[in-house]
Amino acid sequence: MEATEVVELAASGKPKVDFTGATWLFSSQGVGDVQIAFVDGYIGMRDGRQEDGPILVFTPGEWRAFVLGARDGEFDLT
């Protein structure tokens, strides 16, 4: 019988992910200061101008849907 790992959940219902020491990446294209990091199978996204601010956490499926939506102009507010 395998041991079951107990995972602490955030208020969002997603596992709490420790982004301390994560390598944050940013795009050299476009405008903005969005940074992303990959930790424990999750993707974190934050505002690079507020590095101590909140981090949005995505599952791989959520990240894929977000990226595809952005490519299709789903979030274009103009």
Side-chain angles (χ1 to χ4, degrees):
M1 181 174 225
E2 293 181 29
T4 303
E5 181 181 352
V6 177
V7 178
E8 185 177 359
L9 300 178
S12 66
K14 294 183 185 173
K16 285 190 177 183
V17 181
D18 184 3
F19 285 94
T20 305
T23 300
W24 289 92
L25 309 170
F26 58 94
S27 174
S28 60
Q29 300 176 352
V31 181
D33 294 311
V34 174
Q35 296 178 328
I36 61 170
F38 300 90
V39 174
D40 295 335
Y42 293 90
I43 299 92
M45 184 169 68
R46 71 179 184 186
D47 180 345
R49 295 172 294 193
Q50 296 180 348
E51 294 180 357
D52 292 332
I55 298 170
L56 297 175
V57 179
F58 296 85
T59 65
E62 291 169 334
W63 182 251
R64 179 173 169 71
F66 171 73
V67 170
L68 291 175
R71 285 182 185 161
D72 288 344
E74 185 176 331
F75 310 112
D76 187 2
L77 301 177
T78 59

